[in-house]
Amino acid sequence: QTCALPIYGADLTATNASNLVYASNSFDNTGTLMLEGAGPNDGPASQFDIGGNYTQSGSGSVTNVNGYLTAAAMDILDGVVDGTGEISAEVLIDGGVISAGSPGVSTGALGIQGDYTQTSAGTMNVDIDSLGSDQIGVSGNVDLDGTLQVSLLAGFTPLAGQSFVILTWGGTETGNFSTFAWAIGNGLMFQESFDLTDQELILDVVTVTQTESGSAPEPASLTLLCLGLAGLLVRKRKPR
């Protein structure tokens, strides 16, 4: 049974260490759900425990997790899920956007206790500034597809040789993003590398001339184009 609680543009905000329990049913969000983190004068962060699945749909829908959200599964079909808290669920991004931190405003880290799956319709947003990058940490398996969207905040321009860890996992990793704008400008571009030992997905900043083609590679051909760098890199590349 699904008990739908559409919010229709109003905000449902849990503050001051609120502990919301939706014990037996699934939760349908078509508006805005905000779980606030611990403030300087508050107790622990807010928490929302759902007995069934958490589903989000609607182009303007938002789930902001700066506290803790627990569900059997989280299916994001549209809208945005973001924050610096922790999601305990099997997470599916299928038409929506996931972003750590506050998209377009500040970077942050978002934790997922479970597996993470992104379909061809899903998007992962990563912001990068002078302090670092967004990072999503997954305890289980990761299966990637769809779009990786990278934004540079506050006029920040990275330098060649810089690296940003954007995703970690504790299980296995399969797949790769099918859409990504590699070019940064000023003769620089991002280059993907999978560190299979430390279980990290890294964006390296390189000059365009460091690739054999002199242009941004497609994900499927990235390994072949970067053979000339293999002796210089200490990370183990994921085979394509």
Side-chain angles (χ1 to χ4, degrees):
Q1 180 184 4
T2 298
C3 182
L5 289 180
I7 304 171
Y8 296 122
D11 291 342
L12 174 59
T13 302
T15 62
N16 297 324
S18 300
N19 190 356
L20 308 178
V21 178
Y22 201 62
S24 60
N25 297 319
S26 295
F27 187 93
D28 242 343
N29 177 29
T30 61
T32 299
L33 173 68
M34 298 183 68
L35 300 177
E36 294 192 353
N41 300 315
D42 300 330
S46 299
Q47 183 168 332
F48 190 14
D49 295 327
I50 303 166
N53 295 344
Y54 181 93
T55 302
Q56 176 173 294
S57 58
S59 60
S61 54
V62 175
T63 299
N64 178 247
V65 183
N66 289 320
Y68 301 93
L69 189 149
T70 300
M74 170 182 273
D75 297 337
I76 305 299
L77 308 179
D78 210 334
V80 177
V81 56
D82 61 18
T84 57
E86 184 173 278
I87 300 168
S88 295
E90 304 297 306
V91 176
L92 172 68
I93 307 297
D94 184 20
V97 178
I98 189 169
S99 180
S102 180
V105 178
S106 61
T107 59
L110 177 66
I112 296 174
Q113 295 296 316
D115 295 336
Y116 176 82
T117 301
Q118 181 173 318
T119 73
S120 59
T123 298
M124 179 182 293
N125 178 78
V126 174
D127 289 333
I128 299 176
D129 60 19
S130 59
L131 300 178
S133 70
D134 288 339
Q135 185 178 123
I136 296 175
V138 180
S139 68
N141 302 324
V142 167
D143 186 5
L144 298 178
D145 200 346
T147 299
L148 174 62
Q149 176 178 290
V150 176
S151 300
L152 301 177
L153 301 184
F156 173 68
T157 300
L159 301 175
Q162 285 189 282
S163 296
F164 303 94
V165 177
I166 64 169
L167 179 66
T168 65
W169 58 90
T172 61
E173 193 285 327
T174 56
N176 198 358
F177 301 107
S178 56
T179 303
F180 177 51
W182 299 97
I184 298 173
N186 299 320
L188 299 175
M189 59 179 286
F190 287 114
Q191 178 175 279
E192 220 182 13
S193 61
F194 287 79
D195 185 333
L196 301 182
T197 300
D198 292 334
Q199 297 175 292
E200 297 175 339
L201 173 55
I202 303 158
L203 291 183
D204 298 312
V205 181
V206 300
T207 60
V208 173
T209 54
Q210 284 181 269
T211 65
E212 292 180 7
S213 66
S215 60
E218 295 297 322
S221 61
L222 183 61
T223 303
L224 290 177
L225 291 174
C226 296
L227 286 176
L229 292 175
L232 300 177
L233 299 178
V234 297
R235 300 186 183 92
K236 180 178 180 182
R237 303 286 176 173
K238 175 183 169 64
R240 298 286 186 261

